[in-house]
């Protein structure tokens, strides 16, 4: 294989390597985008679970309050009298239930927000993966062209080759 063939082979392999780098970058970017979608879905599921938890807490609070009313009525007390023991117990139970339900709702909002934040980070990583792949491909092509120039120097690009001395015949400048 001569110099021109080696130089052409160097450029071709460089271009193919650059294409492979671009394809790998696209694949990595697609992976990041898929992870972003998965993260968002997971956040929505977590948020839904927290909201279900809030509903369950409120249902339990409702049961406790109904039970307290029934006990007070069975004990010959007015369960709805303001300022009485049943009323104070009901207020405490209600406050605790609402606090727990609000905490679960806050957790739902936080889960959704965090998943969106993580998904945005993954989308940014996808953009950066594509950008990095393009830069690497450009560098690879440049290196293959430089390698071709070293293998088969041409006029204006001699690589590491030193020009052969030319003699015009005779004794040259010493004469």
């Amino acid at each position: 294989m001569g110099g021109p063939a080696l130089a052409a082979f160097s450029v071709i392999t460089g271009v193919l390597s650059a294409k492979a780098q671009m394809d790998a970058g696209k694949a990595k970017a697609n992976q990041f985008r898929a992870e972003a979608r998965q993260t968002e879905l997971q956040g929505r599921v977590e948020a839904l679970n927290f909201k279900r938890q809030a509903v369950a807490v409120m249902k339990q609070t409702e049961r406790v309050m109904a039970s307290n009313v029934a006990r007070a009525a069975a004990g010959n007390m007015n369960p709805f009298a303001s300022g009485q023991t049943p009323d104070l117990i009901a207020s405490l139970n209600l406050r605790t239930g609402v606090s727990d339900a609000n905490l679960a709702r806050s957790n739902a909002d936080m889960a959704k927000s965090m998943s969106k934040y993580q998904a945005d980070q993954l989308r940014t990583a996808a953009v950066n993966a594509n950008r990095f792949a393009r830069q690497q491909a450009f560098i690879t092509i440049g290196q293959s062209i430089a390698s071709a120039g070293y293998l088969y120097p041409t006029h204006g690009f001699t690589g590491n080759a030193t020009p052969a001395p030319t003699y015009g015949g005779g004794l040259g400048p010493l004469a």
Side-chain angles (χ1 to χ4, degrees), residues 11-134:
V11 171
I12 289 170
T13 57
V15 169
L16 292 176
S17 177
K19 169 92 170 84
Q21 288 172 337
M22 293 287 292
D23 291 344
K26 286 178 186 176
K28 190 68 173 172
N30 288 338
Q31 177 189 352
F32 281 135
R33 283 192 209 70
E35 286 179 31
R37 285 189 297 272
Q38 185 65 30
T39 300
E40 282 182 328
L41 289 174
Q42 196 172 16
R44 288 171 50 189
V45 167
E46 286 179 22
L48 184 60
N49 287 337
F50 280 122
K51 287 179 181 180
R52 286 180 179 157
Q53 183 182 356
V55 168
V57 165
M58 289 309 294
K59 283 183 178 180
Q60 181 61 29
T61 301
E62 188 177 65
R63 281 189 216 108
V64 168
M65 291 181 69
S67 175
N68 288 342
V69 168
R71 276 192 211 106
N76 290 330
M77 298 179 77
N78 181 0
F80 304 112
S82 180
Q84 299 296 319
T85 302
D87 180 46
L88 296 176
I89 292 172
S91 294
L92 177 64
N93 289 333
L94 184 61
R95 185 175 339 129
T96 302
V98 168
S99 175
D100 290 348
N102 284 339
L103 180 62
R105 285 190 190 109
S106 293
N107 287 342
D109 292 340
M110 195 179 317
K112 212 169 185 179
S113 296
M114 285 304 294
S115 69
K116 184 183 179 326
Y117 175 75
Q118 288 172 344
D120 288 345
Q121 283 183 322
L122 288 167
R123 285 189 191 96
T124 299
V127 169
N128 289 340
N130 269 333
R131 185 176 298 144
F132 181 71
R134 281 192 303 270

Side-chain angles (χ1 to χ4, degrees), residues 4-18 140-149 151:
L6 286 175
F9 184 72
S10 174
V11 171
I12 289 170
T13 57
V15 169
L16 292 176
S17 177
T140 299
I141 289 174
Q143 287 174 335
S144 70
I145 291 170
S147 177
L151 290 170

Side-chain angles (χ1 to χ4, degrees), residues 136-170:
Q136 285 299 110
F138 181 75
I139 290 169
T140 299
I141 289 174
Q143 287 174 335
S144 70
I145 291 170
S147 177
Y150 290 130
L151 290 170
Y152 188 71
T154 59
H155 180 69
F157 187 87
T158 59
N160 285 334
T162 56
T166 56
Y167 298 105

